[in-house]
Amino acid sequence: ASLVGPMATDELGRRAALGSRLLPGAAALLARLPNTPGMVTSIRVLGPLSVLHDGVASAAPELRRQRVRQLLELLVLERAVTRDRAMALLWPELTPEAASKNLRVTLTHLRKVLEPDRPAGTAGYHVRVDHSSIALHPSDHLHVDAWEADERAWQLDRSNELVAERDALSRIVGLWRGVPYPDLDELVDLTGTLERVRGRHVGLLLRLGELYISAGNAAEAKRLALDVLAVDPYREQAHRLAIAADLRLDDAAELRRSVARLSQAMGELGVEARTSTQGLLHR
């Protein structure tokens, strides 16, 4: 549809109308041309999964299906996936025939979630499927928070100014609402990928916290440190950031709590704090 335009699509629809001698060919071609959506769909995976249409959260019952959520998050994570990989990840215990049937049904549910107004019998716009692969189609009608974060991170890598870096990091961090891709945790083959994605976010939080400390905004640095510790209570760098923020804020009570939290974490791990952390504790 993006190639032929809406006018051509409308004309095909008229020629596929009942009674037209061109019905079979026009109908077949029309079924392969996706209609351009009349709304913007947003997919949020950087935290609990949600789908919004023109800013309104979807209440589609299909979104409550675990495999629908997993397939959607998988498509966001990898952007395109082969049918075989999707079946192996989502239904590893089933035969190829049974898994293929489940995939077809799940795709039908997913299209209803992403394009609730899509006319029956027409091709999907956001989800593109061929004989071997499934992909989410990037367009002005689809917004994905994870893709935006990736784009901003790519721009961040090319920033050499601290103020610009801090502003860019703030925008990226602002997209995160909790643990990303939460429905993919049970898919063992994705464990390493998810750890890298989540680890990268933790690194961005800590870097932003350090920039806030340098800029004199210790309160915001402390908030970011606690956000990291809520996800990874053993991250020594986050403990160090919290203690540095408490020192800047001259908050003795909070400082005692931060030091106790660090001691407990290091004790549970059975390790000593690094030299840089010990120097901060000495202060």
Side-chain angles (χ1 to χ4, degrees):
S2 58
L3 293 177
V4 301
M7 293 182 64
T9 303
D10 291 343
E11 179 62 21
L12 281 173
R14 285 193 291 273
R15 296 191 179 216
L18 187 62
S20 170
R21 61 185 178 85
L22 299 175
L23 185 149
L29 184 56
L30 182 63
R32 298 179 61 184
L33 293 175
N35 291 327
T36 302
M39 63 182 76
V40 175
T41 295
S42 300
I43 303 172
R44 296 179 179 176
V45 298
L46 301 181
L49 175 65
S50 63
V51 174
L52 300 88
H53 300 296
D54 285 343
V56 179
S58 170
E62 292 84 3
L63 198 54
R64 295 196 291 268
R65 295 174 177 265
Q66 183 184 37
R67 294 306 187 213
V68 172
R69 298 196 305 272
Q70 289 176 332
L71 179 57
L72 178 54
E73 291 179 17
L74 178 62
L75 290 174
V76 170
L77 180 65
E78 300 194 352
R79 304 206 179 202
V81 63
T82 65
R83 286 174 174 267
D84 288 344
R85 176 165 170 75
M87 292 188 294
L89 286 170
L90 299 178
W91 300 281
E93 75 287 356
L94 297 184
T95 64
E97 294 76 14
S100 180
K101 179 180 178 181
N102 282 2
L103 180 59
R104 288 194 300 272
V105 172
T106 302
L107 278 169
T108 298
H109 292 316
L110 179 56
R111 285 191 174 109
K112 289 180 181 178
V113 170
L114 296 181
E115 298 180 68
D117 296 333
R118 183 175 65 91
T122 59
Y125 187 88
H126 297 312
V127 179
R128 303 295 174 93
V129 180
D130 60 28
H131 67 282
S132 64
S133 65
I134 309 165
L136 277 179
H137 175 61
S139 74
D140 292 339
H141 302 279
L142 183 67
H143 175 259
V144 182
D145 58 357
W147 295 359
E148 180 182 345
D150 288 344
E151 175 64 22
R152 291 188 182 279
W154 182 84
Q155 296 171 357
L156 177 64
D157 291 340
R158 286 150 180 77
S159 174
N160 296 317
E161 298 181 3
L162 290 181
V163 173
E165 181 184 5
R166 188 177 68 233
D167 291 343
L169 281 169
S170 296
R171 288 193 291 271
I172 295 172
V173 168
L175 292 170
W176 291 65
R177 299 169 293 108
V179 177
Y181 303 99
D183 297 290
L184 297 183
D185 278 330
E186 72 172 46
L187 305 185
V188 178
D189 289 348
L190 292 178
T191 299
T193 301
L194 293 175
E195 287 179 352
R196 286 193 295 272
V197 170
R198 293 167 183 174
R200 181 177 61 182
H201 175 55
V202 166
L204 293 175
L205 284 170
L206 292 172
R207 174 57 180 160
L208 180 58
E210 292 168 352
L211 291 177
Y212 276 134
I213 285 285
S214 299
N217 191 347
E220 191 63 16
K222 178 63 180 290
R223 184 186 69 80
L224 292 173
L226 294 178
D227 284 347
V228 171
L229 291 173
V231 177
D232 185 355
Y234 301 106
R235 183 63 68 103
E236 186 175 341
Q237 186 180 355
H239 287 287
R240 194 162 57 244
L241 179 61
I243 292 170
D246 292 334
L247 285 170
R248 290 290 185 92
L249 293 168
D250 196 22
D251 190 328
E254 276 298 309
L255 181 58
R256 284 192 294 271
R257 278 191 283 270
S258 294
V259 171
R261 187 165 46 236
L262 168 66
S263 298
Q264 180 180 349
M266 296 298 99
E268 291 176 358
L269 290 176
V271 300
E272 292 186 356
R274 297 177 182 177
T275 301
S276 55
T277 304
Q278 292 176 0
L280 189 62
L281 290 172
H282 182 70
R283 286 175 55 192

